[in-house]
Amino acid sequence: MPIAGSEIVKMLPGKRPCKDCGFPTCFAFAMKLASGGATVDKCPYLSEDVKARLLDLLAPPIKLVTIGSGENAVKIGNEEVIYRHEKTFVHSPGIALLISDREDNARIEEKIRKIKELQFPWVGVNLKADLLALHFESGDKAKFLALVKKVYDSTDLGMVLISENMDALFAARDICADRNPLLYPITKENIDEDIPKIKANLTPVGLRGGSIEELVLLTTKLKDAGVEELVLGPGSKNLLEAIRDQTFIRRAALKQGFRPLGYPTIAFPCFMAKEGLKEIIAGSAFINKWASIVVLSDFDQYSLLPLLVQRLNIYTDPRFPMAVEQKYYEVGEPDESSPVLVTSNWALTYFLVSSAVEATKVPAYVCVKDSEGLGVLTAWAAGKFSGDSVGAFIKKCGIGDKVKHRKIVIPGKVARIRGELEDALNLEWEVIVGPRETTGIAAFLPAFAKQLKGPS
Ligand code: SF4
């Protein structure tokens, strides 16, 4: 539960008004701290003890945990609300593909290829599964370690290492520790003996409890030992139990501020359902109901894509429209005489315009002006697609160096910015009013491109 500024101020030194934190009073600083707009280190007069207490009180109710490294790192946790409409969800669940060391080589290769190839670029986002979960089932430690090494060498993905044999688990961890794998499961049976081994080469730790109470004991022990990147596995036997446990953990962390359950969770539809479709449906339920990692035994494009789209929809911040980065985009392989179109940065607008351009097979540049995620007409009405601002963007985005002509096409719906835009571009560019709708691009663009090329 968030701490109030009025509580924080009681812990501050009260050297009014030293202002060294950049705020006029301790109270103003406390209010900013409570709302997340300032950091504790801005006040130089806090004792180490007070600083530590404040950091603990201000920490998000669900801890942030990172699995994997580099651009494939999967961040989970840091959530603040039960339901997305209360604010937003922060980190979408990682989807993991399970590989058992009992599977034959051809099947292992196929799964590695599958997770690499099944990627779906969509309006500036790359939809894909995130992790490989490697399961020690064969009883042959050397075989499991060979699987871990193979995955480590042939992919850059983060890994979940699953083994009841702790020797095998820690040996596997040591192969890929720089990839920050999640170790699973640490249980009440092995925790005391394994804490020193966990700390010897620290990576995130997945806990499996026979009950929620058992998970509380495990997280408390590990936190006291200084191990804080934890992921909770409630050990639920079926979907009903699992949803109940996920709900209990989430509510305890967010509504009661109960720190021992303030960690992301893992769910295993792969071990709950015998049949592929049921497993995917269970995976879908866990995406809805708060699992931070969902482990699937298999998928193909037809089962994975719906899960990825569902995840994208739920974990998109409802307070902001989806937007693409402001810059010029190349559609096809444009050259110095290719058409230049300008549009706003609402993801759907960009997607429609670039798809319509692509369909004409005319290579072109699409200049996307930051309009805070608004469509063209709304952006214009809100003053975010004025001739002046579009002109400033065109001047600095570098498109002038890419083409030798000086003609730029604006959407027909904002024809009225034409004069202002030409002025903003110092009359160096001719502004052409394009179609009102993207459906008009099919007829407009080929003829316009022909004009630009001139007589052949
Ligand atoms: Fe108060 Fe610290 Fe800010 Fe000074 S620097 S005003 S003591 S919070």
Side-chain angles (χ1 to χ4, degrees):
M1 276 191 298
I3 180 170
S6 53
E7 289 302 310
I8 294 176
V9 76
K10 294 176 192 163
M11 301 165 73
L12 298 179
K15 286 179 177 266
R16 280 168 293 170
C18 84
K19 301 182 187 173
D20 289 355
C21 55
F23 294 90
T25 61
C26 291
F27 187 76
F29 178 60
M31 298 307 277
K32 270 286 171 195
L33 272 182
S35 67
T39 49
V40 170
D41 58 343
K42 290 282 182 270
C43 173
Y45 307 109
L46 298 177
S47 67
E48 287 307 312
D49 182 42
V50 171
K51 216 186 265 182
R53 270 169 52 218
L54 276 173
L55 284 173
D56 196 42
L57 288 167
L58 291 165
I62 296 182
K63 184 159 177 60
L64 177 71
V65 173
T66 304
I67 298 160
S69 60
E71 62 179 25
N72 287 315
V74 176
K75 291 185 184 299
I76 50 176
N78 248 13
E79 304 297 336
E80 294 176 20
V81 294
I82 302 254
Y83 301 109
R84 190 188 78 146
H85 63 260
E86 294 174 80
K87 189 175 175 188
T88 183
F89 290 163
V90 182
H91 290 117
S92 58
I95 294 180
L97 177 59
L98 185 76
I99 302 180
S100 163
D101 66 347
R102 276 167 57 184
E103 291 176 287
D104 64 35
N105 249 336
R107 181 83 179 122
I108 291 170
E109 297 279 355
E110 186 200 334
K111 283 189 165 178
I112 293 174
R113 182 183 49 74
K114 195 183 281 193
I115 200 164
K116 284 182 179 171
E117 288 180 2
L118 288 182
Q119 304 198 14
F120 308 90
W122 188 77
V123 288
V125 187
N126 194 25
L127 304 178
K128 61 185 178 66
D130 316 274
L131 298 161
L132 281 165
L134 309 179
H135 191 192
F136 181 32
E137 280 193 298
S138 66
D140 180 348
K141 181 176 160 188
K143 202 171 175 191
F144 179 56
L145 298 186
L147 170 64
V148 174
K149 183 85 171 76
K150 182 187 188 81
V151 167
Y152 178 77
D153 288 342
S154 58
T155 79
D156 293 328
L157 293 171
M159 288 170 253
V160 179
L161 304 174
I162 305 172
S163 170
E164 305 289 337
N165 177 320
M166 292 296 120
D167 275 352
L169 188 65
F170 291 117
R173 182 267 321 264
D174 291 341
I175 291 173
C176 57
D178 63 334
R179 199 77 63 77
N180 215 27
L182 175 71
L183 310 184
Y184 185 88
I186 299 302
T187 64
K188 83 171 191 314
E189 285 75 29
N190 60 33
I191 188 166
D192 291 323
E193 191 183 331
D194 288 335
I195 281 179
K197 295 178 196 161
I198 291 169
K199 292 182 75 173
N201 203 352
L202 205 52
T203 68
V205 172
L207 308 173
R208 186 180 65 208
S211 64
I212 301 284
E213 292 76 13
E214 210 170 289
L215 279 178
V216 171
L217 292 176
L218 294 175
T219 58
T220 307
K221 259 190 185 175
L222 281 162
K223 185 163 192 281
D224 290 348
V227 182
E228 299 211 45
E229 293 227 15
L230 308 177
V231 175
L232 308 182
S236 330
K237 308 278 180 309
N238 56 48
L239 188 56
L240 184 65
E241 274 184 25
I243 298 293
R244 182 201 61 198
D245 292 342
Q246 293 283 344
T247 305
F248 189 93
I249 290 170
R250 182 80 159 205
R251 293 188 73 84
L254 296 183
K255 292 288 179 202
Q256 272 78 49
F258 187 60
R259 293 277 179 197
L261 291 178
Y263 298 94
T265 59
I266 187 166
F268 294 95
C270 56
F271 300 145
M272 282 175 195
K274 293 268 176 290
E275 196 247 307
L277 185 57
K278 284 190 183 150
E279 185 184 324
I280 296 297
I281 291 169
S284 162
F286 284 119
I287 288 174
N288 281 345
K289 288 294 179 188
W290 308 310
S292 313
I293 299 174
V294 178
V295 187
L296 299 169
S297 65
D298 202 3
F299 48 64
D300 59 20
Q301 75 239 52
Y302 304 107
S303 51
L304 179 62
L305 184 58
L307 288 182
L308 296 172
V309 172
Q310 178 197 356
R311 180 177 74 169
L312 177 74
N313 285 338
I314 295 173
Y315 281 81
T316 299
D317 191 333
R319 298 167 301 171
F320 303 103
M322 281 191 74
V324 296
E325 189 189 347
Q326 165 170 286
K327 64 177 189 177
Y328 69 78
Y329 292 80
E330 297 185 356
V331 181
E333 290 176 9
D335 59 25
E336 58 186 17
S337 55
S338 295
V340 176
L341 300 91
V342 64
T343 190
S344 71
N345 80 330
W346 184 26
L348 188 57
T349 302
Y350 167 72
F351 176 69
L352 288 172
V353 171
S354 58
S355 302
V357 171
E358 202 174 349
T360 66
K361 302 207 174 349
V362 175
Y365 295 98
V366 177
C367 300
V368 174
K369 149 91 173 64
D370 182 6
S371 57
E372 297 180 14
L374 298 175
V376 169
L377 201 53
T378 319
W380 170 78
K384 299 180 191 314
F385 205 80
S386 63
D388 277 347
S389 63
V390 174
F393 158 60
I394 293 297
K395 277 186 195 164
K396 77 166 187 223
C397 76
I399 191 64
D401 299 331
K402 300 300 288 186
V403 290
K404 65 177 187 211
H405 65 80
R406 286 293 179 264
K407 293 189 183 196
I408 186 163
V409 181
I410 59 171
K413 280 184 176 164
V414 289
R416 66 197 79 196
I417 71 169
R418 180 183 183 178
E420 193 188 10
L421 177 53
E422 284 183 339
D423 287 345
L425 293 169
N426 309 323
L427 301 178
E428 288 167 9
W429 290 73
E430 182 186 350
V431 176
I432 311 292
V433 177
R436 283 181 63 81
E437 306 291 342
T438 48
T439 47
I441 288 176
F444 168 84
L445 198 60
F448 180 64
K450 215 166 172 183
Q451 257 182 44
L452 285 177
K453 296 259 181 217
S456 50

